[in-house]
Amino acid sequence: MLSSYPTSLDFSFHLGFFRRPRLCHSLEGSFSKSGNKQYKGTFIAYNNSVTKDNLLISHPPVAKQESPPPLVSALKASAEQNVASFHFPGHNRGRAAPSSLTQLIGSRPFHHDLPELPELDNLFSPGGPILDAQRLAAKLFGSSETWFLVGGTTCGIQAAIMATCSPGEFLILPRNSHISAISAMVLSGAQPKYIIPQYDFDWDIAGGVTSSQVKEAIKELEMEGQKAAAVFVTSPTYHGICSNLTEICQLCHSHEIPVIVDEAHGAHLGFHPQLPNSALKQGADLAVQSTHKVLCSLTQSSMLHISGNIVDRERICRCLQALQSTSPSYLLLASLDAARAQLSENPDTIFNKAVELAYEAKYLIQQIPGISVLDFASFSNFPVIDPLRLTIGFSQLGLSGYEADEILCRDHGIICELLGTQSITFAINLGTSRDHIQRLVLGIERLVATSAPIHGNKGRVEHSGYTLFADISMSMTPRDAFFASKKKVSIRESLGKVCGELVCPYPPGVPVMIPGEVITEKALDHLLDVRSKGAVITGASDPSLCSIVVCDV
């Protein structure tokens, strides 16, 4: 939201898919009373046809973690001290904690919500339990150094781009990158060299990045007398589509260009034979992971990993000091240490159950008439899709993702991770149970049974057919557009002007207009079309799109 037109833009929202702003009724136990179908929970083998051997991992054995997590232990010992506290935070180790919150979560989290006491170490200059915890994480994930983040992967991506790109230098990145990459270009002054991602309109989903696309971008910059300061890749995508990072890293390193990987959705990669290798294993120089997504740390906690010697680690440290809070939450930091310890206990087998359940669910759902499951056929240029992401399409039934989601949530208490115009995506993790897989399968079966049968293509949900990003014209860099004077004009008056805000419809969660780009008629028509179908417009000062903020140039 614009608080002051001349200089302010809101880069705070998460570039994902639309999340349901409502509660669902829980129907636990209702399936056990159903006489329609008995679900025995027997695993049905599914042949996962991954063909790129270099993207699969045979993880070496790691010794079990015998000692308790260092940061968790330090936090526990500090909280148990019998002391008179005259320090922040104001709830004073829970003594003045708000009752409305203690009734919800209890008082113990407040006991451990401590500041940077000497025994708890310093995040910016660690030499005690934080340093020990980060070193153990680096060993487990295969990095030369790891930093704990309390500002989410957003903070790590911003630091990675700022550490590799100086003002005026070029960053090669896909046009559907996370919003944090755009804000990082504002902070660093880097100029974007966009790669247009493959787009599947039947699914309304963007793919990843290919090495040939990166090679072409590098060549185009060289023809202009420029060199990329870094290449930024999102792998896996929110739908689990993985790029061939091995090829991309080999190509970039031959040009002495560092590779940054937004691995927010891939902290678990490499810890099961059916999961692709991690970004670090494939040669990435910097990888940022949301440890809270598939692994089990607290929301907002992430890790930044570095490998090799192309990137200056001191510059990374300076960038993190500029971006991270000087009052980090030790609950978040300790949760990163705990999640690492949990994974270290059985790194080769911890995901066995989750992967088994994912293949079982995919197999069973594929047998349901009228239901589609996202697979390699839609994105053949990308050899691996994370099996723990399950994207289901309902268009053969004449249902949009919105409509199918409404039924599954309302009638069956099934809550998805991502909601799209053509599909729903479900995330399977360490906490997924067979009961919930049963509930998902039976819920979809009942949805199909109560939907009118559709024949041929008559039931397909229509899309606008607009090729996203086909006619991008950048008049200003994101940084210059961010700091430019701005004004608000009607949507039709904005045609041909320079966009002053980021406009992103959910779904599909891909920014249609970025500050500094020239506003086109196709982009406006597309935004109005998806809004009429129920998409939420995020980032715009006027979500109704009656007006748009433009640069006053």
Side-chain angles (χ1 to χ4, degrees):
M1 193 71 69
L2 288 173
S3 57
S4 173
Y5 287 146
T7 60
S8 177
L9 285 173
D10 180 9
F11 286 112
S12 62
F13 71 89
H14 185 279
L15 181 57
F17 273 44
F18 177 69
R19 289 172 181 266
R20 181 187 305 101
R22 56 183 167 79
L23 296 175
C24 297
H25 296 292
S26 176
L27 301 180
E28 288 285 0
S30 62
F31 294 108
S32 62
K33 299 176 183 178
S34 170
N36 294 338
K37 190 164 187 173
Q38 293 296 319
Y39 183 88
K40 301 299 185 182
T42 304
F43 173 63
I44 301 176
Y46 179 79
N47 182 22
N48 182 30
S49 56
V50 178
T51 58
K52 294 290 184 96
D53 291 339
N54 66 333
L55 291 180
L56 295 178
I57 186 168
S58 176
H59 205 282
V62 177
K64 284 190 175 182
Q65 187 69 30
E66 296 181 356
S67 58
L71 189 51
V72 173
S73 298
L75 188 60
K76 179 177 184 292
S78 182
E80 290 175 349
Q81 293 176 351
N82 183 11
V83 296
S85 300
F86 295 92
H87 57 70
F88 301 140
H91 60 67
N92 202 309
R93 303 193 179 214
R95 296 180 180 90
S99 60
S100 59
L101 193 53
T102 57
Q103 290 172 17
L104 179 66
I105 65 173
S107 61
R108 291 189 62 82
F110 290 95
H111 299 163
H112 297 86
D113 181 31
L114 299 175
E116 287 183 306
L117 300 172
E119 66 268 21
L120 294 181
D121 208 354
N122 186 303
L123 182 61
F124 289 164
S125 182
I130 292 179
L131 180 62
D132 293 339
Q134 290 183 157
R135 283 176 171 171
L136 288 169
K139 181 179 180 181
L140 176 66
F141 289 98
S143 67
S144 55
E145 188 167 357
T146 291
W147 292 269
F148 284 1
L149 308 175
V150 293
T153 294
T154 290
C155 170
I157 288 172
Q158 291 171 339
I161 292 175
M162 290 173 65
T164 54
C165 300
S166 297
E169 293 184 331
F170 283 87
L171 173 69
I172 295 175
L173 74 165
R175 179 54 176 72
N176 62 325
S177 295
H178 186 273
I179 184 61
S180 57
I182 309 301
S183 60
M185 289 189 287
V186 171
L187 293 168
S188 67
Q191 299 189 55
K193 174 65 175 178
Y194 289 123
I195 291 173
I196 308 305
Q198 177 186 342
Y199 206 85
D200 188 293
F201 284 106
D202 288 336
W203 285 95
D204 203 6
I205 289 173
V209 170
T210 65
S211 59
S212 60
Q213 289 176 311
V214 175
K215 183 177 181 179
E216 183 63 24
I218 293 173
K219 182 179 178 181
E220 289 177 1
L221 284 177
E222 289 177 344
M223 292 176 65
E224 299 170 2
Q226 303 288 344
K227 178 185 176 181
V231 169
F232 180 86
V233 180
T234 302
S235 182
T237 67
Y238 216 148
H239 295 90
I241 301 167
C242 299
S243 299
N244 192 325
L245 295 175
T246 300
E247 292 182 358
I248 292 172
C249 291
Q250 289 174 349
L251 168 67
C252 292
H253 292 165
S254 70
H255 290 81
E256 299 182 341
I257 300 173
V259 177
I260 304 167
V261 179
D262 175 357
E263 204 174 23
H265 295 273
H268 60 297
L269 298 188
F271 292 100
H272 188 277
Q274 292 302 311
L275 296 175
N277 266 332
S278 68
L280 292 174
K281 187 73 174 180
Q282 294 185 66
D285 301 285
L286 294 170
V288 195
Q289 299 174 336
S290 293
T291 318
H292 62 90
K293 292 193 185 302
V294 179
L295 301 184
C296 303
S297 66
L298 292 176
T299 297
Q300 194 176 313
S301 60
S302 296
M303 296 186 191
L304 169 60
H305 306 288
I306 188 173
S307 183
N309 54 14
I310 297 181
V311 179
D312 182 356
R313 56 94 46 199
E314 294 295 335
R315 189 168 169 179
I316 289 281
C317 291
R318 290 194 295 271
C319 291
L320 286 175
Q321 288 186 27
L323 294 166
Q324 294 228 81
S325 171
T326 56
S327 301
S329 166
Y330 275 83
L331 288 173
L332 295 181
L333 294 173
S335 77
L336 288 169
D337 191 25
R340 185 275 315 158
Q342 179 187 39
L343 186 57
S344 297
E345 292 174 1
N346 298 289
D348 300 310
T349 59
I350 190 170
F351 279 100
N352 281 0
K353 177 185 175 183
V355 172
E356 175 183 302
L357 289 175
Y359 283 134
E360 181 174 345
K362 182 175 182 179
Y363 178 87
L364 293 170
I365 292 170
Q366 283 179 321
Q367 313 309 308
I368 303 174
I371 298 298
S372 303
V373 179
L374 181 68
D375 57 21
F376 298 103
S378 298
F379 293 97
S380 57
N381 289 330
F382 306 100
V384 177
I385 296 179
D386 180 4
L388 298 187
R389 293 297 159 91
L390 190 61
T391 298
I392 310 298
F394 302 86
S395 60
Q396 294 179 51
L397 301 175
L399 296 175
S400 68
Y402 298 106
E403 294 165 328
D405 171 73
E406 177 70 25
I407 296 169
L408 290 174
C409 181
R410 181 193 65 221
D411 297 345
H412 306 287
I414 295 168
I415 302 178
C416 69
E417 169 60 23
L418 305 179
L419 174 59
T421 56
Q422 311 293 322
S423 63
I424 303 174
T425 298
F426 302 91
I428 296 171
N429 51 48
L430 294 175
T432 302
S433 66
R434 179 163 269 112
D435 286 343
H436 285 176
I437 295 297
Q438 169 189 357
R439 191 166 175 171
L440 174 62
V441 173
L442 293 182
I444 294 175
E445 287 181 339
R446 291 176 179 177
L447 181 151
V448 171
T450 56
S451 299
I454 300 294
H455 302 286
N457 293 321
K458 294 170 64 176
R460 294 203 66 81
V461 179
E462 296 296 325
H463 53 72
S464 66
Y466 170 60
T467 304
L468 288 173
F469 326 128
D471 53 357
I472 291 175
S473 175
M474 192 174 73
S475 179
M476 303 171 69
T477 66
R479 180 181 176 86
D480 289 342
F482 181 90
F483 289 107
S485 296
K486 299 177 180 69
K487 62 182 180 180
K488 190 178 281 190
V489 299
S490 70
I491 187 167
R492 286 306 169 189
E493 285 181 297
S494 70
L495 184 63
K497 292 182 169 56
V498 179
C499 187
E501 58 184 356
L502 190 144
V503 185
C504 180
Y506 282 76
V510 175
V512 173
M513 293 191 294
I514 285 177
E517 293 180 354
V518 176
I519 299 173
T520 66
E521 186 172 5
K522 286 185 177 180
L524 293 177
D525 289 343
H526 175 74
L527 286 169
L528 292 172
D529 177 64
V530 296
R531 185 179 63 83
S532 70
K533 295 177 179 176
V536 175
I537 306 301
T538 312
S541 60
D542 180 6
S544 69
L545 292 182
C546 292
S547 62
I548 290 180
V549 171
V550 299
C551 295
D552 191 8
V553 294

